[in-house]
Amino acid sequence: EGAGVFERVPELDAKFKSIGTSDQRKREICDICHTVSMPLLKKCVGDHYDFFSREDIHRNGTLAEKAQDRKQLREAVEEVVREAAKAGLTELSRDEAALRLDIEKLQKKLVSMGAPPDQLVVVPSWCSWARSRGSAAKAPLVVRRAALKGQLHG
């Protein structure tokens, strides 16, 4: 499936990991990227075939001309993938902002209920006196949120 290609784009993969994106949401993001890329990829491939269908190139084209065309096609496809990945990164930025807001709300709720801020599983950034950032501080955002929810209900 074409959308699966985007799971291997390094920037998207890193963001998926840092957020802790579910498989379903990964599919949705990759589908968005795929939708953006398809018309652009069709144009790249169409231009490539138009070039090779020219009689002069087909019969008399040099190896250098053909190699240059393949190089241009590869560069065009790579640019399309980068452009499409930007659409996915925009969606992931929204997901990340929402998760960070949820985490902040949970931290504030726990502190308002009397929990010492430096004892939270994810210590708030404003708690400068804390010796550690908490046991879940380095986990993906969804794990941090779940840990704080567990602390709230536990």
Side-chain angles (χ1 to χ4, degrees), residues 45-65:
V45 172
D47 290 348
H48 170 73
Y49 282 113
D50 285 348
F51 176 79
F52 269 107
S53 66
R54 288 183 19 214
E55 189 66 25
D56 60 324
I57 297 296
H58 181 68
R59 291 184 185 230
N60 303 319
T62 66
L63 288 176
E65 286 175 314

Side-chain angles (χ1 to χ4, degrees), residues 82-100:
R82 278 192 296 276
E83 284 300 311
K86 287 179 187 176
L89 288 169
T90 299
E91 283 295 310
L92 286 170
S93 291
R94 290 184 191 122
D95 292 357
E96 182 177 24
L99 281 166
R100 290 188 186 283

Side-chain angles (χ1 to χ4, degrees), residues 54-125:
R54 288 183 19 214
E55 189 66 25
D56 60 324
I57 297 296
H58 181 68
R59 291 184 185 230
N60 303 319
T62 66
L63 288 176
E65 286 175 314
K66 292 176 182 179
Q68 179 63 28
D69 178 66
R70 281 191 296 281
K71 180 178 179 265
Q72 288 173 339
L73 175 63
R74 185 173 27 262
E75 289 169 354
V77 167
E78 288 171 357
E79 180 60 29
V80 165
V81 169
R82 278 192 296 276
E83 284 300 311
K86 287 179 187 176
L89 288 169
T90 299
E91 283 295 310
L92 286 170
S93 291
R94 290 184 191 122
D95 292 357
E96 182 177 24
L99 281 166
R100 290 188 186 283
L101 188 60
D102 284 352
I103 289 168
E104 188 178 319
K105 286 178 183 176
L106 286 165
Q107 289 169 324
K108 287 179 181 177
K109 185 169 186 163
L110 282 161
V111 170
S112 73
M113 293 171 60
D118 61 341
Q119 298 299 309
L120 298 180
V121 291
V122 180
V123 175
S125 58

Side-chain angles (χ1 to χ4, degrees), residues 120-138:
L120 298 180
V121 291
V122 180
V123 175
S125 58
W126 50 263
C127 185
S128 59
W129 64 89
R131 291 189 175 179
S132 93
R133 292 285 107 203
S135 59
K138 299 225 184 260

Side-chain angles (χ1 to χ4, degrees), residues 10-27:
E11 298 84 1
L12 285 172
D13 184 52
K15 191 61 81 171
F16 286 152
K17 288 177 182 166
S18 72
I19 292 174
T21 307
S22 69
D23 288 343
Q24 174 60 34
R25 185 64 176 145
K26 282 182 188 177
R27 283 190 290 279

